Amino acid sequence: MDMWLVLYWTGPIGVGAFLVCLGAMIYLISKADEKSKHAKAFAQEKGLEKKK
């Protein structure tokens, strides 16, 4: 029963795991946004962008 408070999601391990996952998600979203900007710039430079 004592380990339940440590391993529960509001405990130190649960909060730490949440923060690690949140940081990883923010990092991956920022990397995807950066790749998207590079791809758009490359397409525009080469004249490959879609006509609307």
Side-chain angles (χ1 to χ4, degrees):
M1 186 65 176
D2 292 334
M3 292 302 289
W4 174 252
L5 293 175
V6 174
L7 297 175
Y8 192 61
W9 74 272
T10 57
I13 295 174
V15 171
F18 170 76
L19 291 175
V20 166
C21 292
L22 182 65
M25 185 180 70
I26 292 170
Y27 173 74
L28 291 173
I29 289 172
S30 69
K31 292 295 277 186
D33 186 45
E34 182 180 325
K35 293 256 186 203
S36 175
K37 286 181 183 177
H38 284 289
K40 285 180 185 176
F42 179 76
Q44 187 176 18
E45 181 181 312
K46 297 291 183 181
L48 300 173
E49 68 272 3
K50 292 182 181 178
K51 305 287 185 202
K52 288 186 177 181

